[in-house]
């Protein structure tokens, strides 16, 4: 764990079977927005195999993701040599999880290929230009409700992420 002015960077390296390594293009896998209490307000995925991905399995994955974020944040707070607020990403041998927590407790999470650059600026843009503009300023949106019904939000977020240079569509079954 190392601290920098932008937060804490946590690197996790897991050993994998070298024969399983294949050259992949950098890509975005999924994007989450969680409320401060752990409710998944928004979820979208790309480049993930669809077999076995029932709504219940996706909901369980969302709970696991929030639990991971909660645990990592607690771990970093307790073990960091200097006071810090949070982490910005962690990286494994297979993926990189990019994280932004807003002052109001919203958690923006973007999972990408392990070689993608840090996506902090993109997460800030998703918060400021899309969440604030198309959810918070929408008089029909109720705080804490899923964002799928916010007019303009869903299509703009998908367009922003799928037009990003790190997004590569790959055929998955």
């Amino acid at each position: 764990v190392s601290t920098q002015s932008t937060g804490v960077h946590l690197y996790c390296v897991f050993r994998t079977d070298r024969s399983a390594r294949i050259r992949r293009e950098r890509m975005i896998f999924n994007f989450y927005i969680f409320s401060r209490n752990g409710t998944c307000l928004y979820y979208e995925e790309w480049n993930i195999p669809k077999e076995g991905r029932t709504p219940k399995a996706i909901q369980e994955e969302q709970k696991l993701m929030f639990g991971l974020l909660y645990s990592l944040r607690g771990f970093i707070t307790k073990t960091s040599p200097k006071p810090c607020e949070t982490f910005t990403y962690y990286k494994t041998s297979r993926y990189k999880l990019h994280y932004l927590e807003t002052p109001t407790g919203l958690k923006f999470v973007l999972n990408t290929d392990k070689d993608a650059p840090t996506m902090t600026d993109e997460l800030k843009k998703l918060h400021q230009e899309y969440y604030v503009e198309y959810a918070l300023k929408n008089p029909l949106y109720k705080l804490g409700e899923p964002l799928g019904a916010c007019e303009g939000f869903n299509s703009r977020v998908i367009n922003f992420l799928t037009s990003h240079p790190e997004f590569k569509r790959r055929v998955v079954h």
Side-chain angles (χ1 to χ4, degrees):
V1 178
S2 64
T3 59
Q4 295 181 0
S5 61
T6 59
V8 174
H9 302 282
L10 179 65
Y11 300 92
C12 299
V13 180
F14 300 101
R15 295 181 68 183
T16 60
D17 178 9
R18 290 179 188 244
S19 64
R21 289 186 187 174
I22 56 171
R23 180 170 167 73
R24 294 190 290 169
E25 294 179 334
R26 295 191 299 205
M27 59 189 63
I28 295 172
F29 297 120
N30 52 24
F31 173 60
Y32 302 83
I33 300 175
F34 290 102
S35 69
R36 70 178 323 139
N37 66 358
T39 302
C40 187
L41 303 176
Y42 185 81
Y43 177 74
E44 192 67 51
E45 67 181 35
W46 306 270
N47 302 307
I48 295 177
K50 301 296 182 207
E51 61 266 357
R53 306 270 310 152
T54 64
K56 184 173 179 149
I58 292 170
Q59 193 173 40
E60 286 299 314
E61 179 183 304
Q62 292 168 353
K63 289 177 186 177
L64 286 171
M65 178 60 70
F66 184 80
L68 171 71
L69 297 171
Y70 184 82
S71 298
L72 276 175
R73 193 168 190 277
F75 174 78
I76 290 166
T77 301
K78 292 192 185 304
T79 61
S80 179
K82 295 180 182 177
C84 65
E85 294 177 13
T86 189
F87 67 99
T88 56
Y89 69 89
Y90 84 85
K91 181 178 178 178
T92 72
S93 61
R94 295 185 182 251
Y95 70 94
K96 190 173 188 179
L97 181 144
H98 308 266
Y99 179 72
L100 172 71
E101 185 170 347
T102 69
T104 60
L106 285 175
K107 293 151 186 61
F108 287 71
V109 180
L110 187 64
N111 285 313
T112 65
D113 187 81
K114 65 184 177 68
D115 296 323
T118 301
M119 305 283 273
T120 303
D121 291 338
E122 287 81 354
L123 290 173
K124 287 178 181 176
K125 184 172 183 165
L126 285 162
H127 173 250
Q128 295 165 353
E129 294 182 24
Y130 297 100
Y131 178 77
V132 170
E133 291 299 318
Y134 296 99
L136 285 184
K137 291 184 179 179
N138 182 342
L140 301 176
Y141 177 67
K142 295 177 186 166
L143 283 177
E145 293 289 319
L147 292 160
C150 282
E151 190 173 321
F153 178 81
N154 194 27
S155 60
R156 284 178 173 86
V157 166
I158 290 172
N159 186 50
F160 173 71
L161 291 172
T162 58
S163 64
H164 192 278
E166 293 304 316
F167 183 86
K168 301 282 187 225
R169 190 170 299 276
R170 164 174 81 154
V171 176
V172 290
H173 305 283

